[in-house]
Amino acid sequence: MNHRGKIKIDFEPLGKRGDCFTNNSILECAELTGLGINNICGGHGKCHKCKIQIMNEMRSEPTSAEKDIFSPEDLAAGWRLACQTFPDTDCKVHVPPESMTTSQRLQVEGLALSVPLQPNISTYDVTISPPTLANAQADADRLIQTINSQYNLNCDRIDSDVIKDLSHNLRLFNWKCNVSVYNNEIIAVTSSSNSLGFALDLGTTKLAGYLIDLTTGKTLASKGMENPQISHGEDIISRITRIIESPKEAHHLQKVIVKAINRLSLQLCKEINASISEIMESIIVGNTAMHHIILRLPIKQLAYSPYIPAINQSIDIKARELGLHFAQGSYVHFLPNIAGFVGSDHIAMLLSADIRKMDGLVLMLDIGTNTEVSLIDNGNITTVSCASGPAFEGGHIKDGMRAADGAIEHLQITDASVNYQTINGVTPIGICGSGIIDILAQLYDAGVVDKGGKIINSHPRVRKTQDQLEFVVVDEDERSGRTSITFTQKDIRELQLAKAAIRAGIQTLLNVTNHTEDEIQMVVLAGAFGTYIDISSAITIGMLPSLPFNRFKHIGNAAGIGAKLALISYDKCIESKNLPLNISYVELANNKNFLNLFVEALSLGNN
Ligand code: FES
């Protein structure tokens, strides 16, 4: 074995790559890269705070410290201590949140739309006359009759699990209780007056959860968390592939995500001193693959052309059937999908924007590994899904990373110096999507990079490595001896491919609807990436159309907002179910002009 061989480590979920040597531990590699992994004992195998999971085959025998804390199954699954593991080959390492000191930015906020409160669930304060020999009606019948006559309702059934505990509970609560009703079905009988709703944006890398008071419509708590399925596949395609190769993985991945949702909702409930069993209703939105995984629907057909979902219609299912620990008879509603690569998160995004009231032509984008774009024309929606790839999340970019502490998110090149801004103002460790767009825009504006994306000009910060030119963003001196952070010619090519996919998708939408760019009255950018992107940089590189700035609007986590709206408004819930009827989905792979548009869109600039 080469004792000083150079290897590459991919740290997930931050998507940060680092160069290190075969005689470095993973902990040392992380430090060299600038990533923070807990190491209270200083790397002596004693504190067990540096747990990581190696995602690929690697020959490095576990030490006795590792054998002490990990079971053989854990070790076989790749669990190790970062300070005790010396990789001998390139590898991918998952750093779980509890081992990480560098945190990922998990956006949950968004622009809220105000709608009249009209939840699907109603909760009633009910007082029941106890049975007597003269009135020996069954407990369930008595409850239904009482609530119907007290509140003029038409309840006709009680959830089967609620019935099992009903006789005991009615007596325990001394015949006074709170009864939650969904669609004429009694779904909970409790002593608490809390009626909570849970909205979830179930993303491939992140979960954004919201706890709502269904009696006021107020958001009581919100929180983001990493999707733990990342340790089973960084992107959705690798998870689908894993399931296809080993069908029992489907069951495992479903359990992993359900456990995470239970944990997230429990944390949210704890913040307001409530119980998870007080969650009476929930709405989940996400991409089609995540939707299929949690519902244990077949997924193989999503991976192959023509990428067909098992179902697009909305689904209502008891929370317990999924393994969620919410109120006994509560339902989880999954909003409809649009296509194999356009899921209910896009429906929720459209819902959040109140498209019925939009005048003129509106373009809505949710930028990510897959970018969903809709063109809205007087209520008619045309949608495409652009394979923009991982560049905006730092993937395939030499020093790219996801948006997390230490990621350069914005920068300005002034003569020979670079002024940058990192997330949370900490020492830079890499560049996230918005920073990458800024760099390319400024290099193009300064004439360092030409329209074709080639580095053409000498600049004090451009240097030649063994195989390519690169622009030095942060040099070794500024990083106290760590390797410099650079933006390479290859990175530019990656970014060109990503932005061209989006721009060609936009142009296809305009072509099929017979519109021109100038007619677009508003461009709405959703999602975490859309929130932080610099519009002028995105226009400069030709990713977005060149329109006046006042026609652009950031709306934050619109998918989460849409899910919340469907939870508190019956009308919005119905609207979400009907939205697909107004959507024409255009499959880009099937569009004759798309390839030409894509090639044209590779150029930088905007004319
Ligand atoms: S740093 Fe303490 S066990 Fe690894």
Side-chain angles (χ1 to χ4, degrees):
M1 187 174 85
N2 177 359
H3 287 276
R4 197 65 189 156
K6 206 169 182 190
I7 56 170
K8 284 199 183 309
I9 312 264
D10 252 320
F11 291 97
E12 290 299 334
L14 301 184
K16 179 77 187 97
R17 278 150 300 284
D19 288 328
C20 74
F21 296 95
T22 46
N23 59 351
N24 289 137
S25 69
I26 299 258
L27 181 66
E28 288 165 332
C29 292
E31 278 170 358
L32 281 172
T33 308
L35 277 178
I37 294 183
N38 288 320
N39 60 98
I40 295 169
C41 70
H44 290 102
K46 296 205 168 99
C47 68
H48 303 165
K49 296 288 183 208
C50 63
K51 292 189 192 84
I52 44 136
Q53 190 181 16
I54 310 281
M55 305 304 299
N56 53 328
E57 289 289 315
M58 190 201 60
R59 294 181 306 276
S60 165
E61 278 303 304
T63 62
S64 55
E66 290 174 304
K67 284 181 185 160
D68 281 349
I69 62 155
F70 295 118
S71 67
E73 292 77 37
D74 288 340
L75 287 168
W79 284 99
R80 306 292 293 267
L81 291 174
C83 66
Q84 302 292 299
T85 307
F86 293 78
D88 56 2
T89 180
D90 293 354
C91 63
K92 191 168 274 195
V93 174
H94 174 242
V95 188
E98 61 274 20
S99 299
M100 200 150 45
T101 60
T102 309
S103 59
Q104 197 181 165
R105 179 157 64 194
L106 302 165
Q107 181 168 20
V108 291
E109 298 84 15
L111 288 184
L113 187 73
S114 89
V115 290
L117 180 65
Q118 191 192 16
N120 299 309
I121 295 280
S122 303
T123 299
Y124 303 91
D125 187 359
V126 179
T127 303
I128 305 163
S129 305
T132 60
L133 278 176
N135 182 354
Q137 198 178 21
D139 290 333
D141 300 346
R142 182 178 298 273
L143 173 63
I144 289 179
Q145 192 182 58
T146 306
I147 194 171
N148 282 348
S149 68
Q150 269 182 22
Y151 291 98
N152 201 17
L153 302 179
N154 292 309
C155 290
D156 54 12
R157 59 201 188 283
I158 304 182
D159 171 76
S160 57
D161 272 20
V162 173
I163 292 180
K164 282 182 200 154
D165 293 334
L166 186 67
S167 297
H168 172 77
N169 282 340
L170 288 179
R171 286 160 182 84
L172 181 72
F173 305 151
N174 203 20
W175 303 96
K176 279 172 174 289
C177 51
N178 285 285
V179 179
S180 295
V181 177
Y182 169 76
N183 204 13
N184 292 334
E185 178 187 358
I186 293 176
I187 54 126
V189 175
T190 65
S191 59
S192 154
S193 58
N194 278 347
S195 180
L196 302 176
F198 176 65
L200 178 72
D201 174 17
L202 177 57
T204 308
T205 53
K206 296 172 243 178
L207 276 58
Y210 308 83
L211 198 62
I212 318 289
D213 182 340
L214 293 177
T215 61
T216 62
K218 284 212 170 89
T219 303
L220 302 172
S222 57
K223 203 175 183 63
M225 77 159 28
E226 175 196 310
N227 183 337
Q229 288 182 337
I230 275 196
S231 67
H232 303 267
E234 183 187 347
D235 53 49
I236 203 66
I237 297 298
S238 55
R239 281 175 230 171
I240 295 175
T241 308
R242 210 169 155 131
I243 290 171
I244 293 171
E245 284 168 0
S246 168
K248 67 176 193 293
E249 274 294 310
H251 180 63
H252 183 57
L253 283 175
Q254 198 266 356
K255 277 201 148 9
V256 166
I257 196 63
V258 166
K259 196 170 161 191
I261 297 171
N262 276 327
R263 198 165 65 238
L264 178 61
S265 47
L266 192 66
Q267 286 169 359
L268 288 169
C269 285
K270 269 191 182 156
E271 280 186 28
I272 60 153
N273 283 327
S275 156
I276 188 172
S277 64
E278 289 167 345
I279 296 178
M280 298 297 165
E281 187 176 35
S282 30
I283 301 265
I284 298 183
V285 299
N287 62 57
T288 309
M290 286 305 303
H291 166 278
H292 280 35
I293 290 173
I294 190 171
L295 283 163
R296 294 195 204 120
L297 294 171
I299 209 161
K300 190 174 176 183
Q301 76 290 343
L302 277 182
Y304 300 103
S305 177
Y307 316 110
I308 300 297
I311 182 170
N312 272 344
Q313 282 175 14
S314 60
I315 289 180
D316 304 328
I317 187 171
K318 292 280 179 186
R320 62 173 177 259
E321 285 182 46
L322 297 175
L324 296 169
H325 302 154
F326 302 161
Q328 265 184 326
S330 74
Y331 284 91
V332 180
H333 307 289
F334 287 85
L335 300 192
N337 298 311
I338 300 172
F341 283 93
V342 189
S344 54
D345 48 352
H346 197 67
I347 288 280
M349 180 183 104
L350 293 166
L351 202 62
S352 76
D354 208 7
I355 56 172
R356 288 173 305 182
K357 293 198 186 127
M358 284 177 166
D359 288 331
L361 205 60
V362 177
L363 189 70
M364 290 190 80
L365 300 95
D366 190 354
I367 302 166
T369 309
N370 205 60
T371 297
E372 296 94 19
V373 191
S374 280
L375 190 69
I376 301 145
D377 182 9
N378 288 317
N380 296 315
I381 305 161
T382 313
T383 301
V384 293
S385 163
C386 314
S388 35
F392 299 129
E393 296 197 340
H396 298 178
I397 301 292
K398 178 184 157 276
D399 285 314
M401 64 182 289
R402 292 205 173 93
D405 293 355
I408 295 174
E409 58 174 344
H410 288 299
L411 92 174
Q412 195 169 22
I413 303 166
T414 325
D415 299 327
S417 63
V418 174
N419 297 319
Y420 52 78
Q421 173 189 319
T422 63
I423 295 177
N424 284 334
V426 300
T427 314
I429 53 178
I431 319 164
C432 64
S434 55
I436 292 163
I437 292 175
D438 275 4
I439 300 177
L440 184 53
Q442 295 198 29
L443 292 179
Y444 177 66
D445 263 349
V448 179
V449 169
D450 71 8
K451 205 169 173 54
K454 191 170 171 210
I455 300 178
I456 47 164
N457 227 335
S458 60
H459 181 280
R461 282 183 172 260
V462 171
R463 69 185 183 192
K464 186 157 176 35
T465 63
Q466 258 180 347
D467 52 353
Q468 62 179 329
L469 290 171
E470 64 179 16
F471 179 82
V472 180
V473 182
V474 189
D475 68 21
E476 288 86 351
D477 292 344
E478 293 169 90
R479 295 199 78 215
S480 317
R482 288 188 182 126
T483 51
S484 51
I485 295 173
T486 64
F487 186 61
T488 70
Q489 180 66 71
K490 245 175 91 203
D491 295 340
I492 295 174
R493 297 295 180 221
E494 284 292 335
L495 193 48
Q496 282 178 285
L497 294 174
K499 73 100 185 173
I502 294 175
R503 189 59 186 275
I506 294 172
Q507 195 54 51
T508 303
L509 280 174
L510 291 167
N511 290 354
V512 299
T513 55
N514 290 320
H515 285 293
T516 61
E517 226 170 78
D518 306 342
E519 293 174 63
I520 299 173
Q521 293 305 307
M522 193 188 294
V523 179
V524 181
L525 297 164
F529 184 63
T531 304
Y532 295 100
I533 193 177
D534 183 288
I535 302 290
S536 63
S537 294
I539 291 175
T540 300
I541 67 167
M543 175 175 157
L544 294 176
S546 180
L547 296 167
F549 289 146
N550 63 7
R551 291 199 205 169
F552 289 86
K553 186 177 167 190
H554 297 280
I555 57 169
N557 189 342
I561 301 302
K564 282 204 281 186
L565 290 173
L567 195 58
I568 60 170
S569 160
Y570 174 76
D571 283 352
K572 278 284 172 188
C573 196
I574 296 297
E575 186 187 332
S576 75
K577 292 180 184 185
N578 291 332
L579 262 175
L581 301 174
N582 299 324
I583 298 177
S584 309
Y585 176 67
V586 176
E587 177 54 67
L588 291 177
N590 203 28
N591 185 284
K592 284 192 212 107
N593 291 326
F594 178 73
L595 197 57
N596 290 336
L597 293 171
F598 176 77
V599 172
E600 269 174 40
L602 286 168
S603 299
L604 303 179
N606 222 312
N607 43 47

